[in-house]
């Protein structure tokens, strides 16, 4: 029985990395512990998992070291723990909307699509990252986000950690399920600087922002028949925020926003067109 569960769970996890099959993952069946190094993650799967807008694309994701711990005898109530050391993610904005996101990676790779036990286990995974660096290349500027001690975990309706069974609300009549997640970090550093070129000759001061401990609360509504996200809600909570901007930095922020507006508008039109076709 333990071998069957191990195979199903590792089949899910192996979908997030390139050229990685379950037989290459060294995991002790009894201890439920394993490690991997130098992982190249699948950007398309992550785009679908994060449900990114089509004006933004992930180009490359690299992780130097990962450790996993699976509580075999308590999978219904306790999460699988996934610890990453350092993650580097390279992203870019799209002048024209990229193809829409694929099906949810929460769905099983075995051909099943309904929200079942394996999906509950994978969605309940607790993630911890020591350091994550996100680099974004845009038409008029380059930006970077550096987060330390990032944690992602399932919570109940009171936004507290507990039994995994209390982190889901199921509605069989509608065929939908609500799940609750919380994302927290100790520090985030944001930097943005204009690209100097013949097309964009803007002279602006670089933008810098450092915040202390913060969190995001996420509510996801999924269809049980295919695990796809129907709706989501995000709440950003900042402990303290003091940000003094000069006139040139404020003007730069406005210019950066304008440079993204056209791509965002095209993405919104693509979404409306697809929704009309579905109807």
């Amino acid at each position: 029985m333990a071998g069957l569960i191990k195979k199903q769970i590792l089949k899910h996890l192996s979908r997030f990395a390139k050229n990685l099959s379950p037989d290459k993952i060294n995991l002790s069946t009894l201890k439920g512990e394993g490690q991997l190094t130098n992982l190249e993650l699948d950007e398309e799967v992550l785009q679908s998992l994060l449900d990114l807008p089509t004006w933004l694309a992930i180009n490359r994701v690299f992780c130097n070291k990962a450790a996993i711990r699976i509580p075999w005898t308590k999978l219904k109530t306790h999460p699988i723990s996934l610890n990453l050391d350092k993650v580097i993610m390279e992203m870019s904005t799209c002048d024209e909307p990229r193809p829409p996101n694929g099906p949810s990676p929460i769905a099983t790779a075995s051909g099943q699509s309904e929200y079942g036990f394996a999906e509950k286990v994978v969605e309940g995974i607790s993630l911890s990252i020591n350091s994550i660096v996100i680099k974004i290349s845009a038409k008029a500027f380059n930006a970077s986000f550096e987060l330390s001690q990032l944690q992602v975990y399932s919570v109940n309706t009171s936004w507290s950690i507990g039994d995994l069974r209390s982190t889901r609300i199921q509605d069989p009549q509608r065929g939908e399920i609500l799940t609750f997640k919380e994302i927290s970090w100790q520090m985030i550093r944001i930097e943005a600087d204009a690209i100097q070129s013949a097309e964009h000759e803007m002279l602006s001061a670089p933008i810098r922002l450092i915040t202390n401990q913060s969190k995001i609360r996420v509510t996801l509504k999924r269809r049980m028949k295919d695990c796809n996200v129907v709706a989501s809600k995000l709440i950003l909570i900042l402990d303290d925020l003091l940000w003094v901007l000069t006139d040139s930095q404020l003007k730069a922020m406005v210019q950066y926003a304008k440079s993204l507006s056209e791509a965002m508008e095209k993405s919104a039109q693509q979404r409306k067109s697809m929704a009309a076709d579905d109807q």
Side-chain angles (χ1 to χ4, degrees), residues 153-162 166-167 178-183 215-220 232-237:
Y153 42 87
S154 297
V155 292
N156 55 30
T157 54
S158 301
W159 302 103
S160 58
I161 300 176
S166 66
T167 64
L178 285 177
T179 56
F180 305 88
K181 289 280 188 179
E182 190 164 272
I183 306 169
K215 65 180 66 174
I216 296 176
R217 290 175 173 174
V218 183
T219 304
L220 295 175
S232 60
K233 178 181 179 181
L234 284 76
I235 301 175
L236 174 61
I237 302 174

Side-chain angles (χ1 to χ4, degrees), residues 16-20 37-43 59-63:
F16 292 88
K18 293 181 177 179
N19 302 322
L20 179 64
T37 56
N38 299 327
L39 289 175
E40 190 81 20
L41 303 184
D42 192 311
E43 57 272 7
N59 301 323
R60 180 176 178 267
V61 186
F62 174 80
C63 175

Side-chain angles (χ1 to χ4, degrees), residues 176-242:
E176 296 174 343
I177 187 167
L178 285 177
T179 56
F180 305 88
K181 289 280 188 179
E182 190 164 272
I183 306 169
S184 65
W185 57 85
Q186 285 190 357
M187 185 273 292
I188 180 171
R189 179 186 180 92
I190 303 174
E191 298 185 2
D193 203 355
I195 296 176
Q196 307 299 331
S197 65
E199 185 179 357
H200 302 95
E201 296 180 351
M202 62 177 73
L203 295 175
S204 61
I207 297 173
R208 304 286 186 270
L209 172 64
I210 300 177
T211 69
N212 58 356
Q213 189 168 1
S214 308
K215 65 180 66 174
I216 296 176
R217 290 175 173 174
V218 183
T219 304
L220 295 175
K221 180 191 290 186
R222 296 184 186 276
R223 286 198 301 259
M224 296 179 62
K225 65 178 182 179
D226 55 14
C227 301
N228 284 337
V229 176
V230 178
S232 60
K233 178 181 179 181
L234 284 76
I235 301 175
L236 174 61
I237 302 174
L238 300 173
D239 286 353
D240 295 301
L241 179 61
L242 176 61

Side-chain angles (χ1 to χ4, degrees), residues 9-275:
I9 292 174
L10 296 186
K11 189 178 292 184
H12 278 278
L13 296 179
S14 63
R15 298 188 65 199
F16 292 88
K18 293 181 177 179
N19 302 322
L20 179 64
S21 57
D23 59 327
K24 293 182 180 179
I25 302 177
N26 184 18
L27 179 64
S28 169
T29 303
L30 296 178
K31 293 183 179 180
E33 298 177 353
Q35 287 190 351
L36 288 168
T37 56
N38 299 327
L39 289 175
E40 190 81 20
L41 303 184
D42 192 311
E43 57 272 7
E44 292 187 3
V45 172
L46 290 177
Q47 280 177 174
S48 300
L49 177 67
L50 300 174
D51 198 24
L52 292 180
T54 54
W55 59 269
L56 188 62
I58 299 177
N59 301 323
R60 180 176 178 267
V61 186
F62 174 80
C63 175
N64 65 335
K65 185 168 62 176
I68 186 172
R69 183 178 180 85
I70 303 178
W72 294 117
T73 60
K74 302 177 181 178
L75 286 174
K76 289 185 177 180
T77 58
H78 291 66
I80 295 174
S81 297
L82 183 60
N83 299 313
L84 309 181
D85 182 26
K86 185 174 183 179
V87 176
I88 299 176
M89 180 183 294
E90 297 176 359
M91 308 176 71
S92 62
T93 59
C94 306
D95 293 337
E96 295 294 331
R98 60 173 173 78
N101 299 323
S104 169
I106 298 296
T108 60
S110 61
Q112 290 181 317
S113 59
E114 294 185 1
Y115 193 91
F117 175 71
E119 289 75 25
K120 293 178 181 178
V121 171
V122 173
E123 190 171 50
I125 289 177
S126 174
L127 175 64
S128 176
I129 305 177
N130 291 333
S131 173
I132 178 170
V133 178
I134 303 174
K135 301 177 181 179
I136 301 179
S137 298
K139 189 175 182 180
F141 68 95
N142 288 325
S144 66
F145 300 79
E146 184 176 354
L147 297 90
S148 64
Q149 301 301 317
L150 176 72
Q151 293 186 329
V152 183
Y153 42 87
S154 297
V155 292
N156 55 30
T157 54
S158 301
W159 302 103
S160 58
I161 300 176
D163 191 314
L164 280 182
R165 291 171 294 186
S166 66
T167 64
R168 300 180 290 267
I169 299 179
Q170 188 171 326
D171 188 344
Q173 293 183 346
R174 293 187 176 182
E176 296 174 343
I177 187 167
L178 285 177
T179 56
F180 305 88
K181 289 280 188 179
E182 190 164 272
I183 306 169
S184 65
W185 57 85
Q186 285 190 357
M187 185 273 292
I188 180 171
R189 179 186 180 92
I190 303 174
E191 298 185 2
D193 203 355
I195 296 176
Q196 307 299 331
S197 65
E199 185 179 357
H200 302 95
E201 296 180 351
M202 62 177 73
L203 295 175
S204 61
I207 297 173
R208 304 286 186 270
L209 172 64
I210 300 177
T211 69
N212 58 356
Q213 189 168 1
S214 308
K215 65 180 66 174
I216 296 176
R217 290 175 173 174
V218 183
T219 304
L220 295 175
K221 180 191 290 186
R222 296 184 186 276
R223 286 198 301 259
M224 296 179 62
K225 65 178 182 179
D226 55 14
C227 301
N228 284 337
V229 176
V230 178
S232 60
K233 178 181 179 181
L234 284 76
I235 301 175
L236 174 61
I237 302 174
L238 300 173
D239 286 353
D240 295 301
L241 179 61
L242 176 61
W243 195 9
V244 180
L245 289 173
T246 63
D247 289 343
S248 59
Q249 288 177 322
L250 187 58
K251 290 178 181 178
M253 290 187 63
V254 174
Q255 290 174 325
Y256 298 164
K258 286 182 178 179
S259 71
L260 295 177
S261 60
E262 183 179 353
M264 295 173 69
E265 179 63 25
K266 290 181 179 179
S267 179
Q269 292 297 330
Q270 179 198 44
R271 186 171 63 251
K272 291 178 181 178
S273 176
M274 292 181 59

